[in-house]
Amino acid sequence: MTFTTPIPHSDIDLFSDEALRDPYPAYRALRDQGAAVRLDALEAWALPRYESARRALGDWETFSASGVVLNETVAEMVVGTVLTTDPPAHTVLRSVLSERLGPRSVRRLAKEISQRADHLVDEVIDKGGFDAVADLATVFPFSVVFDMIGLPDEARPNILRWADATFTVMGPMNARAAEGMGSIAEMFQWLATLGPTDLKDGSMGRAVFDAADEGRIRPESCVPLLAAYAAAGVDTTITAIANAVHLFATHPDEWDRVCSDPGLIPSALNEVLRYDAPVQVFGRRATRDVEIGDGVTIEEGAQVLVLYGSGNRDERHYPDPDRFDVGRNPADHLSFGYGTHACAGQALAKMEAQSIIGALAKRIHRFHIGTPTRHLNNTVRGLESLPVTAVDLHPGPPQL
Ligand code: HEM
């Protein structure tokens, strides 16, 4: 007699408004079902546990990045981008800009970024009340990434909408993704009009065109590379900073720990990123039959969903995962991905977010907040607005 393992499956729609508002109960249910769970509606596999998600990210030969996008229309549009390409082609695309974003290059920006952070925090404090998304979290990554890429100023009013659309169309083609398609077409059309001289001298954008001139990448890779960097560096970091303010406002004891020991800031940021992953899900495509978990086989060609946000709350990996604890230092969280496609901009993102947290910790003792509004996007979990109605400052001169 042969026994076959029953396939765990679920009819949960991870992209419904309800699940996007609070995906964590659904994630827990999926994790409890298994390391890989068949999602009936999407005809795809979810990897909800830390180990299974990390395993897929670490094995590009079995879990190809050609499946990053969860719908075919957009997947075809983004063939050949850094995010959707496997080695060896990926290695070349990534090398064009990763050096500019590596820890050594980013360290050179440290002083300027920290001064800009102090200045911005002084400004919002002077306002009295402010919106932590629009007035604080958005201003900073937007200006840093925009300047680094060296895009012409005419793009400024559109970048945030384009970046938001880029992330939402990477999900399944639901109404939300369909709505984002107009912005994507507009973004690609505009990027296609750019030539090397439109990008500021010495910028990362100019470096992309230089690489094409030198024959390191094909000319048609320029636009997708620019799009990847412009979109990837904005929404994600905005989300991380806004989530940080929200978590510190709602966990005042944890904020006290950060204020009294700024050495905890890197650990606190790791915990912010673990607790609410800015990118909740991206896909992969199985290149062969592969067994995951207890005898469950994901079949060759299957669409796979890597649930970063669920892996980060896996009780099998992080004890008491729903507790926000700034001393936990979960440096192995999945929020920057892992393996070949691990975030190319993480050194910059960390520097930006840590500088803002540091600047806030020097001055603010307590945040008083109104009701936050969630922004619904298929892959990024962020806030639309977070009203900070008042702040209490530390007594005496700013803390060092
Ligand atoms: C807190 C902020 C950020 C988060 C949470 C984040 C998250 C991620 C994640 C999860 C991936 C992996 C995708 C995968 O597994 O397929 C990724 C890749 C990437 N990120 Fe970030 N990111 C952030 C900031 C940035 C910044 C500031 C930049 C650039 C200015 C950037 C550029 C990129 C690029 C180019 C890739 C593609 C890397 C590749 O495919 O090899 N990211 N990011």
Side-chain angles (χ1 to χ4, degrees):
M1 200 192 319
T2 53
F3 292 95
T4 49
T5 311
I7 293 177
H9 66 103
S10 166
D11 59 5
I12 285 174
D13 177 3
L14 290 174
F15 302 90
S16 67
D17 288 8
E18 189 195 351
L20 292 183
R21 273 198 192 93
D22 180 11
Y24 293 109
Y27 287 164
R28 179 182 286 265
L30 291 172
R31 285 195 304 272
D32 286 346
Q33 278 189 272
V37 179
R38 184 84 185 155
L39 298 178
D40 295 335
L42 280 184
E43 299 183 355
W45 290 91
L47 303 182
R49 291 190 188 164
Y50 181 90
E51 286 307 331
S52 53
R54 186 163 146 127
R55 175 177 164 196
L57 294 172
D59 179 3
W60 61 266
E61 283 166 304
T62 308
F63 295 94
S64 163
S66 59
V68 164
V69 174
L70 304 178
N71 71 82
E72 280 176 23
T73 315
V74 176
E76 278 170 23
M77 288 169 72
V78 295
V79 168
T81 67
V82 65
L83 202 59
T84 58
T85 309
D86 294 318
H90 170 264
T91 316
V92 180
L93 288 171
R94 179 145 173 158
S95 70
V96 174
L97 292 181
S98 57
E99 201 185 301
R100 302 280 196 114
L101 287 166
R104 211 171 331 134
S105 308
V106 167
R107 256 198 304 274
R108 274 187 238 122
L109 301 171
K111 197 165 163 216
E112 193 199 330
I113 289 191
S114 123
Q115 282 169 349
R116 278 164 87 160
D118 286 340
H119 182 71
L120 181 61
V121 166
D122 288 347
E123 239 175 51
V124 294
I125 288 174
D126 287 347
K127 274 188 172 193
F130 62 94
D131 188 303
V133 180
D135 301 330
L136 184 78
T138 304
V139 180
F140 203 51
F142 179 75
S143 61
V144 172
V145 170
F146 197 89
D147 291 349
M148 280 183 92
I149 297 182
L151 292 167
D153 281 342
E154 70 193 56
R156 271 183 200 273
N158 297 320
I159 292 287
L160 288 174
R161 182 169 49 86
W162 289 347
D164 178 46
T166 301
F167 281 107
T168 226
V169 303
M170 291 178 73
M173 193 42 81
N174 54 13
R176 202 171 292 108
E179 204 184 314
M181 290 302 285
S183 297
I184 295 303
E186 196 190 311
M187 175 177 82
F188 274 99
Q189 267 165 24
W190 180 79
L191 284 167
T193 65
L194 294 182
T197 53
D198 294 317
L199 294 142
K200 303 208 173 81
D201 256 349
S203 65
M204 288 188 1
R206 185 64 85 83
V208 168
F209 283 94
D210 291 347
D213 268 355
E214 291 155 13
R216 284 195 286 144
I217 58 169
R218 286 173 311 175
E220 58 272 27
S221 297
C222 290
V223 166
L225 258 183
L226 284 178
Y229 279 84
V234 184
D235 264 28
T236 46
T237 319
I238 293 172
T239 297
I241 295 172
N243 285 348
V245 176
H246 186 222
L247 284 163
F248 293 140
T250 49
H251 297 79
D253 293 348
E254 296 301 303
W255 182 237
D256 283 345
R257 292 173 73 191
V258 175
C259 293
S260 57
D261 178 7
L264 272 180
I265 290 173
S267 163
L269 176 62
N270 280 334
E271 180 68 345
V272 166
L273 289 166
R274 180 196 71 82
Y275 196 84
D276 243 346
V279 177
Q280 291 280 311
V281 52
F282 276 158
R284 292 292 189 267
R285 173 108 21 225
T287 58
R288 61 175 176 88
D289 287 357
V290 52
E291 198 182 308
I292 286 263
D294 307 323
V296 170
T297 298
I298 294 181
E299 69 284 6
E300 178 181 347
Q303 174 71 64
V304 174
L305 275 67
V306 181
L307 300 182
Y308 309 86
S310 176
N312 280 349
R313 295 277 192 113
D314 188 351
E315 40 291 281
R316 294 155 195 80
H317 189 74
Y318 296 111
D320 200 2
D322 297 334
R323 190 164 58 88
F324 178 67
D325 170 3
V326 295
R328 187 196 293 262
N329 197 17
D332 61 352
H333 64 71
L334 297 174
S335 292
F336 287 125
Y338 172 71
T340 318
H341 290 272
C343 179
Q346 58 183 290
L348 176 63
K350 281 185 204 161
M351 180 173 290
E352 291 182 62
Q354 288 177 8
S355 300
I356 290 279
I357 297 172
L360 292 168
K362 277 186 223 167
R363 298 213 51 201
I364 296 178
H365 166 61
R366 279 287 171 274
F367 301 91
H368 301 278
I369 58 169
T371 310
T373 316
R374 193 148 286 288
H375 178 71
L376 300 189
N377 178 297
N378 280 335
T379 60
V380 168
R381 175 171 166 74
L383 296 172
E384 182 77 44
S385 86
L386 173 60
V388 178
T389 48
V391 291
D392 301 337
L393 300 180
H394 295 297
Q399 310 217 327
L400 291 181

